[in-house]
């Protein structure tokens, strides 16, 4: 049994439509515990740094603009195989490809406004969690 922490971001398209609670219910129904959470307005600098890995992709500037277009909710989800379980609950990046019952199938508006971000590996999860949270803020 591997208990992991992973980073989740509820994106501006979802906070704008008041979907934070509905999305959190999906995480909790999947057995993930929300052990830290904060609502933030990202700055351009923060969004560029967070998504630095995508800086050469054609969608980078639009992605950064979208991520600063309204509040986000950053959170740490904890549970058995949390990285994988969270990615299953989120569904495919493009909502057109997402499975029924997933967050992106139910809530996402487009590949860009896709409601949630989740770490794609345990290594990245550690790095992404430390981007937003101090160790002392993770309560479990
Ligand atoms: P996310 O999991 O936050 O990681 C990078 C984000 O870039 C992704 O979700 C999408 O919201 C966004 N994005 C925009 N266009 C594309 C694209 N063509 N391919 C992949 N990701 C994209």
């Amino acid at each position: 049994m591997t208990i992991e922490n992973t980073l989740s971001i509820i994106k501006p398209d979802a906070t704008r439509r008041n979907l934070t609670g509905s999305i959190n219910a999906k995480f909790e129904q999947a057995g993930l515990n929300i052990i830290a959470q904060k609502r933030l307005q990202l700055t351009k600098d923060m969004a560029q740094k967070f998504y630095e890995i995508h800086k050469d992709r054609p969608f980078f500037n639009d992605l950064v603009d979208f991520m600063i277009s309204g509040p986000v909710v950053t959170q740490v989800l904890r549970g058995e195989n949390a990285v994988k379980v969270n990615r299953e609950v989120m569904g495919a990046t493009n909502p057109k490809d997402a499975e029924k019952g997933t967050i992106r199938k139910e809530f996402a508006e487009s590949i860009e406004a896709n409601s949630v971000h989740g770490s794609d590996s345990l290594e990245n999860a550690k790095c992404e969690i430390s981007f937003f949270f101090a160790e002392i803020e993770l309560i479990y």
Side-chain angles (χ1 to χ4, degrees):
M1 184 160 102
T2 320
I3 302 291
E4 298 172 348
N5 293 342
T6 190
L7 184 87
S8 165
I9 304 178
I10 300 179
K11 296 186 179 185
D13 66 287
T15 60
R16 195 174 292 127
R17 288 175 289 147
N18 223 12
L19 291 171
T20 300
S22 304
I23 290 174
N24 280 349
K26 293 271 193 195
F27 294 140
E28 293 184 338
Q29 279 155 15
L32 294 167
N33 294 330
I34 302 163
I35 62 162
Q37 177 166 266
K38 50 185 149 190
R39 184 174 161 100
L40 296 172
Q41 173 62 55
L42 296 182
T43 64
K44 191 162 195 165
D45 188 53
M46 284 169 84
Q48 284 172 335
K49 282 206 179 95
F50 184 79
Y51 279 119
E52 196 167 14
I53 194 172
H54 296 304
K55 70 177 189 312
D56 296 327
R57 307 286 292 272
F59 58 80
F60 180 71
N61 288 337
D62 286 345
L63 174 62
V64 167
D65 286 345
F66 165 66
M67 290 301 287
I68 65 173
S69 68
V72 297
V73 176
T74 63
Q75 43 193 196
V76 180
L77 308 178
R78 181 175 176 84
E80 198 172 331
N81 298 319
V83 172
K84 182 168 172 274
V85 169
N86 182 37
R87 292 185 70 76
E88 286 169 3
V89 175
M90 288 193 302
T93 304
N94 189 340
K96 287 185 187 142
D97 302 327
E99 302 249 339
K100 197 167 169 240
T102 62
I103 292 169
R104 284 167 170 162
K105 185 68 177 183
E106 283 191 19
F107 302 125
E109 296 179 318
S110 66
I111 191 168
E112 178 178 85
N114 65 355
S115 301
V116 279
H117 165 83
S119 307
D120 64 1
S121 68
L122 194 54
E123 195 189 350
N124 282 343
K126 286 181 181 142
C127 182
E128 291 182 356
I129 289 168
S130 68
F131 189 91
F132 289 110
F133 295 93
E135 208 38 58
I136 197 173
E137 295 178 291
L138 312 186
I139 313 297
Y140 54 92

